[in-house]
Amino acid sequence: MAALCRGRHRWKRTNCLYVLTRNLTGKYDYDLVVIGGGSGGLACSKEAAQLGQKVAVLDYVEPSVKGTKWGLGGTCVNVGCIPKKLMHQAALLGTAVKDAKKYGWQISGPVSHDWATMAEAIQNHVRSLNWGHRVQLQDKKVKYLNIKGSLLDEHTVKGLTKAGKETILTAKNIVIATGGRPKYPTNIPGAMEHGITSDDIFWLKKSPGKTLVVGASYVALECAGFLTGIGLDTTVMVRSIALRGFDQQIAGLVTDYMETYGTKFAWKCAPKRVDKLSSGALQVTWTDTQTGSEHKDTYDSVLWAVGRAPETKALGLDKLGMQLNNETGKIVLGADESTSVPNIYAFGDIGEGCPELTPTAIKAGKLLARRLAGQSTELMNYDNVPTTVFTPLEYGCVGLSEEEAEKRHGKDGIEVYHAFYKPLEFTVAERDASQCYIKVVCERAGDQKILGLHFTGPNAGEVTQGFAMGFQCGATYSHLLQTVGIHPTCAEEVVKVNITKRSGLDATVTGC
């Protein structure tokens, strides 16, 4: 009888809280509980529900240091890809207006940009996406809980409402998809008090004005690019290099273009402190790391873009003994997204070694849901994931950088085909195209398998997406040459590249 009772109800003691778990009978509240309502968590939960699983998704947004908060959908929808691309589009339209005059459009009077109009339109679109996600969860019979989740054991989640009310949920499997949030530098006085991050910039009601962007990640450069593009005085402060992890030749072209576009750069500089003056302006003191000299200037806004930290601290992972990477704080994962604790899985930005990209989180989440439902054994493939940096001159890439290819195959083991080209759209507008560039990195031997493809120019994301499929099929340089281009496009220049870096010949495309 005692054994029967133990089998029916297993009690666990955690932090003096007794939790009733019914896992020995196989009767849990849910088949799957997902903590995190971002792109990945939503994709995973919806896929699992469609496969007949009983699913709950927990999502709770802690307001930013500045008090910014948002709805369901995670970083991408609310403070990432979506508002970023829309503000980038606003900036591109500003450039298009300038080009339009050369194309014969009669535009009278000075052209100016109104931040409030743009912000309201973008914020309304984001809110519509928040609502859409809620409706989708309801339609797919996923239980949505606006509560903060933490783990008590491998089958139990504790949820806490904003008012402090506690809920206990049990599940056969638990998935962590809480993503990350922007970091503030901890060693700079005034940084947190007076600065903002990408969690705030898209929800500002009024223009940030003259802005200092600290950092040189893709987030930093994209924000600086659209701020410059809508006419704001913008400076990027770079401690070391731009676009770390990306091809460095291309990174140089991107920042060169941004400088001609009007963005200022403070290279090899490190901020020291931020003080708010009586006028309300922010005085930033920084050091030139090469000369050691100190400088000061005032700004209306300081935007910190110095990296992101995984949202792991409030999850109670230490109590479960879950293995984390001590340096990054991210969760160490197996190839199947499993953590070191049975029945608990994680993926997306919170996973060590996972690309911090929305589409990879969505795909990984769907595949995990299928495996947990016993419908598939397919694992996520993180090789050759394409991406695009939406700077004023866009940069799309897939595969290896030239540096990484050289490291893996040796300088003599790779062949780099490249071309400087001029988009047709730039000609009449008399725009400088000296940074529009294509690089195709190949193995030198055999069929010359393509290892990496890099493209700077208009619509880089659209161009790169198409070529990315070729990587899944083992594309070679001869495949590229066999492909007929679409004329006149920028993308056709990719299939025409024939000058190697090794030859030393001029790679500038001439003629039609």
Side-chain angles (χ1 to χ4, degrees), residues 87-101 107 111-113 226 228-231 261 431:
M87 289 193 178
H88 171 62
Q89 175 64 13
L92 291 182
L93 288 171
T95 304
V97 168
K98 292 174 191 163
D99 288 355
K101 293 176 184 176
I107 299 167
V111 176
S112 61
H113 181 268
F226 69 66
T228 304
I230 60 174
Y261 185 72
R431 279 170 65 184

Side-chain angles (χ1 to χ4, degrees), residues 12 136 157 214 248 341:
K12 293 197 170 182
Q136 281 180 23
V157 172
V214 183
Q248 284 302 292
V341 180

Side-chain angles (χ1 to χ4, degrees), residues 80-227:
C81 329
I82 300 299
K84 175 268 303 285
K85 179 80 184 284
L86 292 172
M87 289 193 178
H88 171 62
Q89 175 64 13
L92 291 182
L93 288 171
T95 304
V97 168
K98 292 174 191 163
D99 288 355
K101 293 176 184 176
K102 296 274 176 65
Y103 277 94
W105 285 96
Q106 302 297 306
I107 299 167
S108 59
V111 176
S112 61
H113 181 268
D114 182 62
W115 176 279
T117 303
M118 173 191 72
E120 186 183 6
I122 290 172
Q123 288 160 16
N124 285 342
H125 176 66
V126 169
R127 287 190 188 98
S128 75
L129 295 177
N130 297 150
W131 177 249
H133 281 307
R134 293 187 73 154
V135 170
Q136 281 180 23
L137 291 179
Q138 203 169 2
D139 289 348
K140 290 183 165 57
K141 307 289 189 290
V142 175
K143 179 73 174 173
Y144 163 58
L145 298 162
N146 182 211
I147 57 178
K148 193 191 299 185
S150 60
L151 297 157
L152 296 180
D153 63 36
E154 68 267 29
H155 292 290
T156 313
V157 172
K158 179 174 81 172
L160 211 57
T161 67
K162 189 179 178 183
K165 188 186 171 191
E166 203 173 273
T167 308
I168 300 295
L169 302 92
T170 61
K172 183 182 176 186
N173 292 302
I174 298 167
V175 166
I176 305 168
T178 48
R181 297 287 287 270
K183 291 193 286 195
Y184 275 94
T186 53
N187 60 337
I188 299 170
M192 198 174 283
E193 294 91 328
H194 308 307
I196 60 172
T197 69
S198 58
D199 272 0
D200 308 296
I201 187 80
F202 305 109
W203 290 91
L204 295 177
K205 299 293 184 197
K206 60 176 194 172
S207 170
K210 181 182 176 184
T211 304
L212 175 67
V213 179
V214 183
S217 62
Y218 74 91
V219 175
L221 297 188
E222 287 176 339
C223 289
F226 69 66
L227 291 174

Side-chain angles (χ1 to χ4, degrees), residues 79-80 124 151 172 177 197 257 342 379 425 430 456 488 499 505 508:
V79 288
N124 285 342
L151 297 157
K172 183 182 176 186
T197 69
Y257 185 91
L379 298 174
E425 308 92 302
E430 297 176 319
T456 56
I499 303 291
L505 297 172
T508 306

Side-chain angles (χ1 to χ4, degrees), residues 70 74-76 79-81 178-184 197-200 202 217-220 304-311 313 327-330 349-350 356-358:
W70 50 86
T75 297
C76 174
V79 288
C81 329
T178 48
R181 297 287 287 270
K183 291 193 286 195
Y184 275 94
T197 69
S198 58
D199 272 0
D200 308 296
F202 305 109
S217 62
Y218 74 91
V219 175
W304 300 102
V306 291
R308 296 177 66 82
E311 283 282 84
K313 289 193 178 106
E327 275 185 48
T328 62
K330 294 190 176 191
D349 293 10
I350 204 167
E356 294 185 5
L357 296 168
T358 291

Side-chain angles (χ1 to χ4, degrees), residues 57-71:
V57 61
L58 280 59
D59 188 63
Y60 183 87
V61 180
E62 284 283 2
S64 74
V65 171
K66 294 294 166 191
T68 310
K69 53 188 176 184
W70 50 86

